[in-house]
Amino acid sequence: MQSHITLPIDYSERLEEAKPITKLKKTINRKIIITATICVLIVLTFVSSIYISTKITYDIPSSDVTFYEANGKLLMKYKGHGALLYSAYASNIDNSPTKEWHISFTQTFFERYVQPLYKKDKPQVLDSTKEVKAVYDQDGHILWQNKSLPNNE
């Protein structure tokens, strides 16, 4: 049997012993917060760069696009750098079977600089030449006209 009683350590002494552990916890928490912040910034930068590269468009002059016939199809080929986006609609005039196409051309940063690195641009098929009377740009200029149809001036 012992004749003396051991009392618990004083609160200030316990805090003094725990200081290295609390410093370590603060350092680890700070590193985790910094690492998480950097990861979020990297992801946001990546997502925003993809968004911006696909949303900003450049208008392409219609003179950079050539139209020609091959195997009964009307094809168009872009002479500039990169791939070409186009917006087109056809309209029938006076219930005739032939259509008049109205077309505009654009490019995004992605089509202009990134896509040519991995994909070669091929001619785009617009329609059958029998069904197309003329192709106009957004300003109303004739880009191509079917000479084989009657009543074409």
Side-chain angles (χ1 to χ4, degrees):
M1 292 209 94
Q2 289 185 350
S3 62
H4 66 279
I5 300 174
T6 310
L7 295 174
I9 302 175
D10 185 26
Y11 181 73
S12 61
E13 288 180 27
R14 285 189 293 170
L15 284 178
E16 196 65 38
E17 290 176 359
K19 273 187 181 177
I21 294 174
T22 55
K23 273 188 174 179
L24 183 63
K25 282 183 180 179
K26 285 181 182 177
T27 304
I28 289 174
N29 284 341
R30 192 174 301 133
K31 285 183 180 179
I32 289 173
I33 290 171
I34 291 171
T35 304
T37 304
I38 290 172
C39 288
V40 167
L41 288 174
I42 289 171
V43 168
L44 286 176
T45 303
F46 181 70
V47 169
S48 64
S49 67
I50 289 175
Y51 178 78
I52 289 170
S53 71
T54 58
K55 292 298 178 189
I56 296 175
T57 59
Y58 308 99
D59 288 332
I60 303 298
S62 55
S63 60
D64 288 350
V65 181
T66 57
F67 290 86
Y68 59 95
E69 299 176 44
N71 298 327
K73 301 283 184 188
L74 178 59
L75 302 170
M76 62 182 175
K77 180 80 173 152
Y78 177 52
K79 293 186 257 181
H81 180 69
L84 182 69
L85 297 175
Y86 65 93
S87 175
Y89 67 92
S91 59
N92 289 5
I93 306 298
D94 299 328
N95 295 327
S96 70
T98 59
K99 305 173 208 166
E100 289 184 347
W101 283 88
H102 300 272
I103 192 164
S104 63
F105 306 103
T106 58
Q107 268 185 334
T108 63
F109 180 84
F110 183 81
E111 274 82 25
R112 185 175 278 187
Y113 298 109
V114 178
Q115 192 173 1
L117 297 175
Y118 67 90
K119 183 179 175 186
K120 295 293 180 191
D121 195 25
K122 297 178 185 173
Q124 298 283 331
V125 176
L126 192 58
D127 204 350
S128 171
T129 54
K130 291 184 238 175
E131 298 177 10
V132 179
K133 181 178 178 182
V135 178
Y136 299 93
D137 66 1
Q138 66 267 20
D139 297 327
H141 301 109
I142 294 177
L143 301 176
W144 181 84
Q145 191 171 16
N146 195 341
K147 304 289 186 200
S148 64
L149 290 177
N151 299 330
N152 262 346
E153 291 99 36

